[in-house]
Amino acid sequence: MTRLRPLSLRRFGLGLLLASLLSLLADPAAASNAAVGLAGASEDNLAVPQWLYLATGGATVGASALLASFVTDRRFIERVHLWQTGSEAGISDSVLRALRVTGGVLGLALLALVVYLGYTGPQVPTVSFAVIVVFAGLRAGYTMFSYLVADTWRALNPWRTVVSAVPNGFVSYPERLGRWPAVAGILALVWVETATDVTTRPSVLATALVAYSVVTLAGAVAVGADTWFDKVDPVSAFLHFYGRVAPVRLDDDGLSFRLPGMRLVTDDDLTDLGDVAVAVVLVWELTFSGFVTTEQGAAAIRSLAGVGLPPLLVYGLLYLGGFAVFLGLYVLAARVTARRIDTFETPLDLAVKFAPSLLAIAAGYHLAHYVGFFVSLSPMLVGALSSPLSSPANPVVLTLPAWFGGLNVAFVLVGHLLAVWVAHSQAYRTFPSRLQAVRSQFPFVAVMILYTVLSLWLISLPTASPPFL
């Protein structure tokens, strides 16, 4: 039997990757734009067989992993994820303080306006300053800024600004809890967004923000600002983890630039399963929201509710059960890796080391789910921020061109390809043997392929309103 030489394998992998990308993007308008809460999303069906569309998406990730396995020069890998545009630019302490003060004032002003206008402004979501700023501005636009440019939430965070100005840190935080409270908080916030009227009734959104503020301020004063906003606060954890993907970083050491996602390889501040769960929940919450806003998801929920289960119980079981499955699959990949290769690394160690790759996947998911929403509502957002006290008589919503749906597919795939490279680089940092480094990636790539196929399937489905909500 003829054996393929390494060069032949590389050519085969490259050909498979190119063929997969071309088949996915040849008709970019074919897939519908099934994104989280997108009003007026396209409901076009696939112009190609769905099995081929999904198979080529999985093949793209698999082929990229095959290609990456031939990049075995450790010095080259190190140069890629440590490359930066010039040296770090130093910034004086006075400039940093001015930026923090400006950000703090801006954050407080926006929070006050959102709460005030949520109660006193029009109770129509399409002209409400509160709804537009929170969901089009923060949930969509600012989150995209956090992973595409830089994480600036520490300076803008209004609750941190308040707590930092008063004595805090009277109670010791139980370190054994890690970031699990933040995981629970993110799950709770997404549940509130999905199952309550915060997206349609500005007064309910304002009440939710007041309640969130009370809990946040009390907790941060009790355990200390740094501990609370690092370990407990769900909004801070959400934005900080997304911000790890960003190419720009501004901190006490100055301003630095890296290739997008490369800090995921060098930052070593993920330490336990709670940190892994934060990364997994960022992937899962978008998957869940995408599923319940499709016709197939709505039909499944109606079927389960039709046998007598309360609708909210159906949503809750799907939500928490799906998160448990996603987390379990990732942990299983770590266990399989630990068994397959001869290593002293424990399954938990491997799960933590490879978890940053999930953040690249989450960023691709978020961009695919929200970029259309953000672009469509950008005129309303600009109008709301430029004139917060006067609601527009005729809000403007942009209509997206048909080809825009192809970008959603591209964003999902780019996120997965970046995740493959991050996992590949992390493997070579972890294992001294090249064979160990290559074999350690296979179970994680299998999980990534599963995530890819699932996310592309959701994008391909026609959208619908979640039933019973």
Side-chain angles (χ1 to χ4, degrees), residues 179 241 244 267-272 275-276 279 352 355-356 359:
R179 285 197 174 97
F241 270 62
R244 296 167 188 264
D267 289 353
D268 295 324
D269 51 346
L270 273 65
T271 59
D272 58 27
D275 298 334
V276 175
V352 170
L359 300 179

Side-chain angles (χ1 to χ4, degrees), residues 66-145:
L66 177 63
L67 288 174
S69 67
F70 291 104
V71 181
T72 59
D73 188 333
R74 295 178 186 271
R75 287 175 297 180
F76 172 76
I77 296 172
E78 190 80 7
R79 283 197 302 270
V80 169
H81 64 247
L82 290 179
W83 181 89
Q84 59 185 34
T85 56
S87 59
E88 290 188 349
I91 298 179
S92 66
D93 292 341
S94 59
V95 172
L96 284 174
R97 282 196 299 270
L99 290 174
R100 291 191 184 108
V101 170
T102 303
V105 171
L106 179 60
L108 284 170
L110 282 175
L111 177 61
L113 278 172
V114 166
V115 173
Y116 173 72
L117 294 175
Y119 285 124
T120 64
Q123 297 300 298
V124 179
T126 53
V127 296
S128 168
F129 176 89
V131 172
I132 293 170
V133 168
V134 169
F135 293 104
L138 179 63
R139 182 75 157 106
Y142 184 75
T143 303
M144 288 190 290
F145 179 85

Side-chain angles (χ1 to χ4, degrees), residues 24 28-35 42-55 290-291 293-296 368-369 405 408-409 412 452-463:
L24 280 167
S32 69
N33 188 15
S42 168
E43 296 184 359
D44 298 332
N45 293 324
L46 286 174
V48 296
Q50 192 177 67
W51 68 266
L52 178 61
Y53 168 79
L54 301 179
F291 177 70
T293 54
T294 63
E295 289 183 357
Q296 285 77 356
H369 280 241
N408 296 334
V409 178
V412 169
T452 302
V453 172
L454 181 58
S455 59
L456 291 175
W457 176 64
L458 292 177
I459 290 176
S460 74
L461 299 178
T463 58

Side-chain angles (χ1 to χ4, degrees), residues 18-256:
L18 291 176
S20 300
L21 288 172
L22 288 173
S23 64
L24 280 167
L25 301 177
D27 187 3
S32 69
N33 188 15
V36 182
L38 295 187
S42 168
E43 296 184 359
D44 298 332
N45 293 324
L46 286 174
V48 296
Q50 192 177 67
W51 68 266
L52 178 61
Y53 168 79
L54 301 179
T56 51
T60 300
V61 177
S64 64
L66 177 63
L67 288 174
S69 67
F70 291 104
V71 181
T72 59
D73 188 333
R74 295 178 186 271
R75 287 175 297 180
F76 172 76
I77 296 172
E78 190 80 7
R79 283 197 302 270
V80 169
H81 64 247
L82 290 179
W83 181 89
Q84 59 185 34
T85 56
S87 59
E88 290 188 349
I91 298 179
S92 66
D93 292 341
S94 59
V95 172
L96 284 174
R97 282 196 299 270
L99 290 174
R100 291 191 184 108
V101 170
T102 303
V105 171
L106 179 60
L108 284 170
L110 282 175
L111 177 61
L113 278 172
V114 166
V115 173
Y116 173 72
L117 294 175
Y119 285 124
T120 64
Q123 297 300 298
V124 179
T126 53
V127 296
S128 168
F129 176 89
V131 172
I132 293 170
V133 168
V134 169
F135 293 104
L138 179 63
R139 182 75 157 106
Y142 184 75
T143 303
M144 288 190 290
F145 179 85
S146 295
Y147 57 74
L148 292 176
V149 183
D151 175 18
T152 59
W153 180 245
R154 183 182 178 91
L156 286 173
N157 187 344
W159 301 286
R160 179 185 279 274
T161 300
V162 172
V163 174
S164 299
V166 301
N168 59 83
F170 303 103
V171 180
S172 297
Y173 178 75
E175 290 299 327
R176 67 181 181 277
L177 295 180
R179 285 197 174 97
W180 282 106
V183 175
I186 294 172
L187 288 169
L189 289 182
V190 175
W191 177 258
V192 169
E193 179 187 28
T194 303
T196 70
D197 295 331
V198 293
T199 60
T200 56
R201 295 177 58 190
S203 61
V204 175
L205 175 60
T207 301
L209 281 172
V210 170
Y212 185 86
S213 298
V214 170
V215 173
T216 299
L217 293 175
V221 168
V223 303
D226 290 340
T227 300
W228 181 269
F229 294 109
D230 180 49
K231 301 287 188 182
V232 182
D233 182 50
V235 174
S236 297
F238 180 91
L239 293 171
H240 175 59
F241 270 62
Y242 269 122
R244 296 167 188 264
V245 183
V248 180
R249 175 170 294 178
L250 176 62
D251 52 26
D252 294 337
D253 295 327
L255 188 66
S256 61

Side-chain angles (χ1 to χ4, degrees), residues 277-368:
V278 175
V280 172
V281 80
L282 295 185
V283 176
W284 166 245
E285 65 97 358
L286 291 167
T287 306
F288 169 77
S289 299
F291 177 70
V292 299
T293 54
T294 63
E295 289 183 357
Q296 285 77 356
I301 291 169
R302 289 193 189 96
S303 298
L304 292 172
V307 301
L309 294 175
L312 280 182
L313 178 61
V314 173
Y315 277 99
L317 291 175
L318 175 64
Y319 184 42
L320 297 179
F323 169 66
V325 169
F326 263 49
L327 181 60
L329 284 173
Y330 181 80
V331 172
L332 177 62
R335 292 183 180 276
V336 170
T337 300
R339 287 199 301 265
R340 289 182 73 251
I341 60 177
D342 185 18
T343 178
F344 292 106
E345 301 281 351
T346 67
L348 178 59
D349 292 335
L350 294 176
V352 170
K353 289 179 184 294
F354 285 92
S357 61
L358 296 175
L359 300 179
I361 294 175
Y365 280 16
H366 186 276
L367 195 58

